[in-house]
Amino acid sequence: MRPDVLNPLFAESGSLKGVGPGLARPLEKLGLNRIRDLAYHLPDRFVLRRAVGNLDEAGLGEQIVIALTPRDYKQAAGRGPFRVMAEDAVGNYVALTYFGRASYTGKKQLPLGEKRWVAGKLEQFGQTWQMVHPDHVSEESGGMIGQLNEPVYPLSDGMTQGRLQGLVHQALAQLPLLPEWIEPGLAAKMDWPRWHEALPLAHKAQNVLARDRLAYDELLANSLALMLVRTSNRNRQGTPLVGDGRIRAKLNLPFALTGAQTRSIAEIEGDVAQGAPMLRLLQGDVGSGKTAVALHAMLIAVEAGCQAALLAPTEILARQHAETLTRMAVGTDVTITLLTGRDKGKARESILMGLIDGSIDICVGTHAIFQDSVSYRNLGLVVIDEQHRFGVGQRLMLTQKAKRTPHCLAMTATPIPRTLTLAQYGEMDVSRLDEMPPGRQAIDTRVIALERLGDVVDGVGRHVEKGAQAYWVCPMVRELETEDIAAAEARYAALRERFGDTVVMVHGQMRPEAKDAAMEQFSRGEAKVLVATTVIEVGVDVPNATLMVIEQAERFGLAQLHQLRGRVGRGSQQSTCLLLRGEALSETGRERLALMRETQDGFRLAEEDLRLRGGGELLGTRQSGDTPFKVADFEQIARLLPMAHDDARLLMERDGGLSSPRGEAARLLLYLFERDWGVQLLRGG
Ligand code: ADP
Ligand code: MG
């Protein structure tokens, strides 16, 4: 049970003042369901504004606060923007520009002839100055001066910065006083603020100490939880699985296993033959052939008379895995079934029956395969694909529910540098696929300026005419979600106009059925061009797709670009990856893209990514999906995780039951970061 002192933090966001039904969806979309989530919804960056007396004092591109008097309204023709022409103290004019429905707000806030304080970014539009959608308009100067340093939060549709600021403010007012869980000597040495001070500080201004402390908390919670799982696992009874090879002998793979695959399978075979449950990580770059290893591992379980389950992070991937495995296992009479959250009614019932009576040998699916309502007759092995997408331990925990703990194989394409593997994955055993299947050709990677878009589209045309397929990836960043979706839709429309209905699209906001349909058309080869956001990043395998275009490549991290590029070059044909870059490319951006051209070694790219980010780029380089962390960014993980790991180990050595005062505090920490499955193991352990 969660300690009472944390209850206020886990109250629903809906209980805050001013949260009507209209905000429910935006909050949910941002994952801000409870007060805790709001308190930890840290700004991506801060806007620093300067108050200026008139426009001549301001620079182009600068964020300013200024007093202006609206003089005239101009509505552009058609669906063009609405402009308020406003005058500063010395007779300069600036256009305050509004698009769409924002025009109504603009007009209301800016009556002609009345002085208003306006905050926003000064830009140029033709011969005049302009501010697009000013951030604030107020009758008083007072409030505006308070906004000179303002947090910028990740947003979603239907949520504004102002609203979110208000909610965060309320959430922060409810922070309880919690005992310190960080080793006191360390906290003092690092000069870190206490937890209840650190959160407000991190929302107020760019505060490295506060951000570090909060990140460290998360990393410590993760390390501790992993150690608890590991310890508990050692004391558990598993089922020794010894396969006699009779099913594997019937396998008819179209290729010979690589040395690395054979070695990994042998390591797994050795582990699962033991009484203690296996906890092994299979690390292998994109395209190194992890699926075939997983199949062998699962067949060992089936040969030994048990069932196996494969957990994938997305439905697209689960579906594809089920198909691939079924194809690979033709002729073996092993029964493989797909189970996702979408299976309902009779279909679902019959799958559940098959799992209970053991007529299904291998179950592939999303997290739905571990819901309470799903029971297995004899689950011997769980494989978790694309491990880095899940919080490690939570999934491991699922495997610990059974009376006899199944063996666990976690697989990752690891954008995580070698140096961090140990800390990130606790003390799991690791197998490495450090050898690519033979015959792979280097992917021809080129960086191309966006102005040459026309040439690129022509290139796609020639490619498709030859009978090959292509991916076209559009970026998607949370804060600008709507605009990004709009941009992707626009690109889709343009490509469709050119190439007709052989162009299909998938993005995260489409209905699952529509996504599946598009994916299926593409993988069957009926569709030639797949326009997609990063949803295709993990695991998708269509060997005939040999061209990948990535728009605004500079907006992606290296690890992500590497994952995306890994969608092509999967067959023996020459593949190409075109990185389209925008005009305003930073030094780091340039370096990143150059590296992509230079190397295809995922480990090297991950390490370079770390180095490039280490320079202390802007806040907000957190990339959902790359790591199981929400607070700690990449650079913090590199710097603080080893410390957290040592700290956790020390605490476990001194107080493995977490019963000392600091141990008790650490339990709070585990609940706070929802790694309380660690605590539950402790009790049951
Ligand atoms: P990942 O490690 O990224 O999950 P996959 O398992 O999807 O990689 O394998 C990538 C591609 O390589 C697949 O098309 C698969 O059939 C092929 N493949 C796997 N192992 C070998 C091998 N030993 N020789 C040749 N091709 C292989
Ligand atoms: Mg894979």
Side-chain angles (χ1 to χ4, degrees), residues 367-568:
H367 60 276
I369 66 176
F370 284 120
Q371 274 160 2
D372 284 340
S373 53
V374 182
S375 332
Y376 295 80
R377 188 175 75 91
N378 197 355
L379 184 61
L381 170 73
V382 175
V383 180
I384 307 176
D385 193 21
E386 305 295 347
Q387 176 64 63
H388 62 283
R389 291 259 149 172
F390 299 105
V392 183
Q394 188 162 15
R395 300 302 163 192
L396 297 185
M397 166 64 190
L398 291 169
T399 69
Q400 314 263 321
K401 274 181 167 176
K403 258 190 264 100
R404 289 212 160 225
T405 309
H407 298 277
C408 178
L409 176 68
M411 310 201 290
T412 178
T414 301
I416 296 146
R418 255 176 269 255
T419 41
L420 294 182
T421 314
L422 177 96
Q424 170 117 11
Y425 291 106
E427 288 142 338
M428 292 173 87
D429 301 306
V430 178
S431 294
R432 282 219 169 81
L433 291 181
D434 48 11
E435 177 189 351
M436 280 288 171
R440 292 283 163 80
Q441 296 190 37
I443 300 166
D444 181 12
T445 304
R446 291 182 231 165
V447 181
I448 297 181
L450 187 61
E451 295 102 76
R452 291 184 46 206
L453 184 69
D455 297 345
V456 173
V457 173
D458 291 344
V460 170
R462 284 192 300 275
H463 185 77
V464 168
E465 261 162 41
K466 281 188 300 188
Q469 291 166 280
Y471 295 101
W472 189 296
V473 177
C474 302
M476 173 75 69
V477 172
R478 271 174 316 168
E479 194 187 341
L480 303 165
E481 215 172 59
T482 340
E483 284 159 54
D484 283 338
I485 290 275
E489 298 266 11
R491 180 64 67 224
Y492 169 63
L495 289 171
R496 227 177 139 87
E497 201 160 298
R498 170 82 182 262
F499 302 118
D501 52 13
T502 61
V503 184
V504 292
M505 163 145 122
V506 287
H507 63 64
Q509 297 194 6
M510 282 165 52
R511 280 179 307 114
E513 296 79 18
K515 263 193 271 190
D516 282 355
M519 276 314 295
E520 203 148 319
Q521 273 180 284
F522 190 68
S523 50
R524 275 200 250 115
E526 294 158 15
K528 299 296 180 198
V529 181
L530 178 68
V531 179
T533 57
T534 40
V535 289
I536 60 154
E537 178 187 344
V538 281
V540 177
D541 185 33
V542 181
N544 189 44
T546 48
L547 172 62
M548 163 144 306
V549 180
I550 305 180
E551 260 190 80
Q552 298 187 47
E554 71 276 7
R555 283 175 65 190
F556 295 94
L558 271 181
Q560 223 177 355
L561 286 174
H562 178 64
Q563 287 273 326
L564 282 169
R565 181 172 58 182
R567 295 309 114 224
V568 297

Side-chain angles (χ1 to χ4, degrees), residues 253-259 261 282-294 317 320-321 324 327-328 385-386 411-413 433 435-440 538-543 563 566-567 569-571:
L253 295 181
F255 46 73
L257 295 175
T258 63
Q261 283 170 321
L282 177 65
Q283 218 178 17
D285 208 344
V286 204
S288 59
K290 294 185 287 295
T291 318
V293 175
L317 201 49
Q320 182 190 287
H321 271 319
T324 310
R327 207 173 335 114
M328 283 179 169
D385 193 21
E386 305 295 347
M411 310 201 290
T412 178
L433 291 181
E435 177 189 351
M436 280 288 171
R440 292 283 163 80
V538 281
V540 177
D541 185 33
V542 181
Q563 287 273 326
R567 295 309 114 224
R570 303 178 79 79

Side-chain angles (χ1 to χ4, degrees), residues 24 73 167 200 252 264 355 544 586:
Y73 297 142
L167 296 177
N252 200 357
S264 300
L355 291 173
N544 189 44
S586 70

